Amino acid sequence: MDPRVRQHAETIVEHSTGIEAGDDVIVYLPGDAEDLAVALHELLGEKGANPLLLTYSERADRAFLRNSDEFDTPEHELALYENADATIIARSGPNPSEMADVAPRPRPRTTALTTP
């Protein structure tokens, strides 16, 4: 794991949230933030907190919203957040720096196979 992820998790747990032993903590992250989820869970375990990991999927939300006439936050979701001592939420998108450490070079073209 990149040590910066652990440092970020430490900042969240130690400075941003004030989590204490016995706290019920919702960790709401996208699936591609698994390293952060792991680091947070390690630290929350050390604190004696009770984490619950929820993942976010934009595709799933889109599918639901396109096929639902109305949407109100469900009572069971409201109850979850109302009863939590802390909530950690992060969202992410594509990483525009993903290829920053790779020298630019021509890429092979991809061609679609078509049938006559």
Side-chain angles (χ1 to χ4, degrees):
M1 175 185 308
D2 185 329
R4 294 173 295 180
V5 173
R6 173 73 181 205
Q7 292 168 349
H8 188 63
E10 288 172 356
T11 299
I12 292 169
V13 171
E14 298 296 333
H15 303 288
S16 300
T17 57
I19 293 170
E20 299 176 353
D23 281 354
D24 295 324
V25 181
I26 298 170
V27 178
Y28 187 46
L29 303 173
D32 57 358
E34 185 177 20
D35 282 353
L36 179 57
V38 170
L40 287 168
H41 278 67
E42 288 173 351
L43 293 167
L44 293 170
E46 291 171 10
K47 286 270 189 192
N50 306 306
L52 171 65
L53 177 62
L54 303 176
T55 60
Y56 174 78
S57 167
E58 197 167 282
R59 287 181 61 210
D61 279 355
R62 179 179 179 270
F64 174 77
L65 294 171
R66 288 179 49 89
N67 291 283
S68 175
D69 294 332
E70 295 181 24
F71 177 76
D72 289 322
T73 303
E75 290 295 321
H76 64 282
E77 183 177 354
L78 289 174
L80 178 68
Y81 288 104
E82 288 170 357
N83 289 298
D85 296 301
T87 302
I88 298 167
I89 300 174
R91 293 193 176 227
S92 70
N95 182 353
S97 305
E98 188 72 39
M99 298 292 284
D101 60 345
V102 176
R105 59 183 159 201
R107 292 198 166 146
R109 291 186 187 172
T110 19
T111 56
L113 297 177
T114 57
T115 54

